[in-house]
Amino acid sequence: MLDESLLDAPEALARADTRGLLRGAADAGARVRTAARHAAEAGIGDLKPDGRPRAVMVAGPGAAGSCTADLLGALSGGNCPVSLIAPTGVAPAPGALRWTLPGWAGPLDLLVVATPDGTEPGLPRLVEQAYRRGCAIVSVAPGQSPLADAVAQARGLMVPLATAPYGSAPYATGGYATGGYGPGGYGTDPYRGDPHAPGAPGAEDTTLAEGALGDAPAPYGTPSVPQPVEPPGTAPDEMTGPALPGTLWALLTPLLLLVDRIGLVSAPPTALQQVADRLDQVAERCGPAIATYTNPAKTLAAELAGALPLLWTEGPVAAATGRRFSGLLAALAGRPALVAELPGALAAHGALLTGAFAGGADPDDFFRDRVEEPEALRARIVLLHEEPVGPISAVPTARELALAHETAFSELEPAEGTPLESAAELLAITDFAAVYLALASPDRT
């Protein structure tokens, strides 16, 4: 059972949030701006590719690799195959993980390594494999890490990971004592509206070494590697577990600028500025000082209490968001969730709407002892879609099916904008919801 009173007590949320999860979710917009600046300093904007790669291979521990690959694939729209190089090993620990290039990888392919840690012994070995085969190599990782050294030796492009821009000070009067985001209890992003902000249009970059392009063996001539500027500061559970709120955008932003440069996704600096603004707007709406009844993330967390979430998605970006939300619910809140894409979800999960998990199952539930007997788990449909419902959408059918089976449902639809902005809004709201559910659960640790 969820402690809903905690959701509307910002100071109590601050005490429960010992890992700084809400801070990470609120910092996402600032992370985008900082990461864009790091990408510009690394020289991504000056790359002169010889065309699109044959394939993009993504490697990284836990959700750092899987979510990055999933979102890049969803946003690319099939312009280029994006595949995950999944790690193998005897345990989910950095020292036990190994990555191996597929047999077909060669000079026409691009290897992307994304990690919030950078100390995994298997990743430098993977970089060495890629170098021997002539692959282009790009990495986003802490600047002072063994992986950064390996990428430099392989003449790849290294972008230092953007760390959290603020300290992890506790709340003060419903918000954070330092930094944060406006009416939601977070103050003001210092980069917001600054024409020289990281990633802002026209922001000048004077750190790129002269004549650094065109000397790499791979087909996307890479500039010289900048000096490390960010020390490792990774939470231990981010090494192999979920990419926590904020960290995902620190990893994803430089790669979006990269794939924009090579023609896979339209993600110029101006578009990423809009993404950062959208993330700030969601942080204002979903902050800890905003009451549950007007806070979409707290509302969703309260609705999922005691429920088995059936995450039904429509559209590639919504599908990637649903898979990430399911992973966060399991990793942070210890809650199971099932994900399926519409219209296939109607058949795949149809039996759950009529069996023991159905909303109207067990007519004797009215006589249950509310104090002594735990509440039965009931299915709840969560609809995630990217665009306004059109004539060929399966969303209306999903709503009708839920009503016909007396199954509760929630619905998330982003405001109008680009696919990148839609992804930002859906990811931000579900990140906040997973954090609130984790903090307000009675069995939280």
Side-chain angles (χ1 to χ4, degrees):
M1 185 176 179
L2 194 74
D3 184 1
E4 294 191 34
S5 64
L6 185 65
L7 293 179
D8 288 323
E11 293 181 358
L13 279 172
R15 290 191 295 270
D17 189 12
T18 56
R19 296 159 64 190
L21 299 177
L22 285 173
R23 164 68 70 191
D27 281 345
R31 290 272 195 121
V32 168
R33 297 182 179 93
T34 305
R37 185 192 71 213
H38 288 187
E41 291 171 350
I44 282 182
D46 296 312
L47 291 177
K48 297 178 180 178
D50 297 330
R52 292 177 180 173
R54 177 179 61 178
V56 177
M57 302 168 291
V58 181
S66 60
C67 288
T68 299
D70 204 4
L71 287 164
L72 286 178
L75 291 165
S76 70
N79 289 331
C80 174
V82 178
S83 59
L84 172 68
I85 301 178
T88 58
V90 297
L97 298 178
R98 298 291 182 270
W99 288 264
T100 304
L101 281 180
W104 48 262
L108 298 178
D109 305 310
L110 169 64
L111 172 66
V112 169
V113 182
T115 173
D117 182 26
T119 64
E120 306 89 343
L123 289 177
R125 297 190 187 113
L126 177 67
V127 169
E128 184 181 351
Q129 292 177 45
Y131 178 71
R132 289 199 304 265
R133 296 207 202 168
C135 299
I137 303 168
V138 177
S139 177
V140 182
Q144 297 175 352
S145 65
L147 177 61
D149 296 337
V151 173
Q153 293 174 9
R155 300 169 71 188
L157 176 61
M158 173 67 201
V159 182
L161 181 73
T163 55
Y166 308 112
S168 55
Y171 300 86
T173 13
Y176 280 101
T178 61
Y181 295 66
Y186 296 106
T188 304
D189 181 350
Y191 291 136
R192 201 169 177 182
D194 182 355
H196 302 291
E204 295 185 0
D205 169 34
T206 58
T207 62
L208 183 62
E210 208 173 10
L213 293 173
D215 58 352
Y220 313 104
T222 56
S224 61
V225 180
Q227 293 297 316
V229 296
E230 293 290 355
T234 307
D237 54 355
E238 289 192 77
M239 295 179 186
T240 54
L244 298 180
T247 302
L248 178 63
W249 284 105
L251 295 168
L252 190 61
T253 299
L255 301 180
L256 288 172
L257 290 167
L258 172 70
V259 294
D260 172 76
R261 193 67 184 165
I262 60 180
L264 298 185
V265 176
S266 178
T270 52
L272 289 177
Q273 182 66 33
Q274 293 173 337
V275 166
D277 291 343
R278 181 69 68 94
L279 289 169
D280 287 348
Q281 292 165 11
V282 175
E284 291 173 355
R285 294 166 53 204
C286 298
I290 303 300
T292 299
Y293 66 90
T294 58
N295 186 320
K298 288 183 179 180
T299 298
L300 181 58
E303 291 171 345
L304 294 182
L308 172 64
L310 305 181
L311 308 179
W312 291 2
T313 66
E314 187 170 75
V317 169
T321 301
R323 289 187 285 269
R324 171 169 169 78
F325 189 29
S326 173
L328 282 180
L329 288 175
L332 299 183
R335 302 294 183 95
L338 301 177
V339 191
E341 297 183 45
L342 292 171
L346 302 175
H349 293 168
L352 294 171
L353 306 184
T354 59
F357 295 104
D362 189 9
D364 295 328
D365 188 64
F366 178 81
F367 300 101
R368 176 177 60 85
D369 188 321
R370 271 23 183 200
V371 176
E372 299 295 334
E373 299 179 33
E375 184 179 0
L377 198 64
R378 297 283 181 250
R380 184 181 190 94
I381 296 169
V382 180
L383 299 175
L384 301 171
H385 51 98
E386 306 163 29
E387 302 171 354
V389 175
I392 60 173
S393 172
V395 170
T397 305
R399 294 175 185 146
E400 293 171 4
L401 187 65
L403 292 173
H405 290 286
E406 300 180 0
T407 301
F409 73 93
S410 308
E411 188 168 346
L412 290 181
E413 178 185 346
E416 291 185 7
T418 64
L420 271 175
E421 290 177 281
S422 297
E425 183 167 340
L426 288 174
L427 286 166
I429 293 176
T430 51
D431 278 0
F432 269 106
V435 169
Y436 284 127
L437 192 59
L439 297 180
S441 296
D443 55 349
R444 63 183 182 274
T445 57

